[in-house]
Amino acid sequence: MGMKTAAALRLEVESALAGRVAAPFQYRDRRAVETAPTGVAAVDALTGGLPRGGLTEIFGAVGAGKTSLLMAALAGRTAAEACALVDARDAFDPETAEAGGVRLERLLWVRCREIAQAMRATDLLIQGGGFGMIAVDLSDIAPRVLRQVPLNVWFRWRRAVEETQTILLVMEPEANAKTCASLVLRMQSGAARWASTAGDLRQTEARLLEGRGSGLERVRARKRARDIFMKQIDAREIEEDCAAFETRIVRPFGEKFNAETQSAQRRKRKEKT
């Protein structure tokens, strides 16, 4: 039996992969990844922004700052393009988001009550297209439930946005997408900053939360093959995989309390007159 020529082998492989892989022998260089800022300077300096055409996974415990980072990203993206938020537990607060700069008229809010609804809604939004960012907030879903999500779901989402300009952002208590994600960030809660009301005669002495620190670590970031071979990793780069920022309360309780107190006092004065 004679040896097959290279041309014959090439034809055989192309025939076998017909309909499944387009041009298997054609070299396709990966295009440069386009990113969009998160709205938090420390996070943008660490990650370079949220990758378009990719899945970004942000995970951490309650109080780590995931919601604050999500609101900052939505504020920045809705200023320029239409976005969608899949709210798995109907926990989104439009009033607070608007106070934080989110343009609600450019945000499609999909309110869900369970993870199955959130998954179906995300599939429909990705397939429909037209959104600059699709955020999927699974933060309030129990970790044991999220672990039951089949791996092919994350792969399907990644492939669906791969050739688009859409940012797919998933918020979770634990990492589940992992290697399916272009960027994985872990968040941890930091120290809280409090303000005293001892000098305000209209309030009893108390401590009001003014802000809270958050730590952020880049667990995974997909790079082009050329960068992996040409770039050497040293200790300095490992240090740069972490960042920290502080979230300030958009509308402190003390301000709301004072406004309500003043309104009540005005009503009493009008009643007396």
Side-chain angles (χ1 to χ4, degrees):
M1 184 177 178
M3 296 288 291
K4 291 184 179 180
T5 65
L9 287 172
R10 180 189 180 101
L11 180 60
E12 185 177 340
V13 172
E14 288 178 340
S15 301
L17 297 177
R20 290 182 293 170
V21 179
F25 292 101
Q26 182 179 350
Y27 176 75
R28 292 176 296 174
D29 190 15
R30 288 186 179 179
R31 58 180 173 82
V33 177
E34 185 180 345
T35 61
T38 63
V40 180
V43 179
D44 291 336
L46 173 66
T47 64
L50 301 173
R52 293 189 182 275
L55 191 161
T56 296
E57 183 177 44
I58 301 177
F59 70 98
V62 175
K66 299 191 302 295
T67 302
S68 299
L69 183 56
L70 173 61
M71 292 302 106
L74 285 175
R77 291 301 86 223
T78 54
E81 53 195 343
C83 300
L85 171 63
V86 179
D87 189 4
R89 283 294 190 188
D90 196 11
F92 178 68
D93 182 11
E95 184 179 353
T96 302
E98 188 174 30
V102 179
R103 297 185 60 175
L104 298 179
E105 68 274 13
R106 289 185 175 175
L107 178 66
L108 175 63
W109 177 23
V110 183
R111 305 169 71 177
C112 306
R113 295 186 179 275
E114 58 181 7
I115 188 171
Q117 291 179 338
M119 293 292 173
R120 287 195 297 269
T122 303
D123 277 325
L124 291 173
L125 291 172
I126 293 175
Q127 292 171 14
F131 294 99
M133 182 171 77
I134 298 175
V136 186
D137 190 0
L138 305 174
S139 301
D140 295 325
I141 301 294
R144 60 177 178 80
V145 176
L146 288 172
R147 293 188 203 113
Q148 297 173 4
V149 176
L151 187 62
N152 69 309
V153 171
W154 309 113
F155 274 110
R156 185 174 71 246
W157 287 3
R158 188 194 76 181
R159 292 297 302 271
V161 299
E162 207 166 34
E163 300 298 328
T164 71
Q165 289 292 299
T166 300
I167 300 167
L168 181 57
L169 178 64
V170 180
M171 317 290 289
E172 299 175 278
E174 293 180 352
N176 290 283
K178 298 179 181 178
T179 56
C180 300
S182 301
L183 177 64
V184 180
L185 301 175
R186 173 168 49 214
M187 297 193 68
Q188 297 177 332
S189 59
R193 183 162 54 85
W194 301 87
S196 175
T197 61
D200 194 336
L201 300 178
R202 293 170 295 183
Q203 297 180 195
T204 57
E205 184 174 354
R207 296 180 69 199
L208 302 178
L209 181 63
E210 278 195 340
R212 183 165 195 150
S214 295
L216 185 137
E217 179 185 0
R218 183 176 56 188
V219 178
R220 183 175 188 274
R222 184 175 298 163
K223 300 178 182 179
R224 292 178 299 173
R226 182 168 58 90
D227 295 336
I228 294 175
F229 288 114
M230 295 181 64
K231 195 172 182 180
Q232 294 183 350
I233 299 176
D234 55 22
R236 182 175 52 190
E237 289 185 15
I238 296 174
E239 292 177 0
E240 291 174 353
D241 278 343
C242 299
F245 65 94
E246 184 181 79
T247 302
R248 296 195 62 184
I249 304 303
V250 174
R251 188 170 296 173
F253 173 77
E255 292 182 6
K256 183 178 180 182
F257 180 85
N258 290 341
E260 292 176 349
T261 304
Q262 292 172 7
S263 298
Q265 290 174 349
R266 284 195 294 269
R267 284 196 301 269
K268 287 181 180 180
R269 284 196 295 267
K270 287 181 180 179
E271 291 173 358
K272 288 181 181 179
T273 56

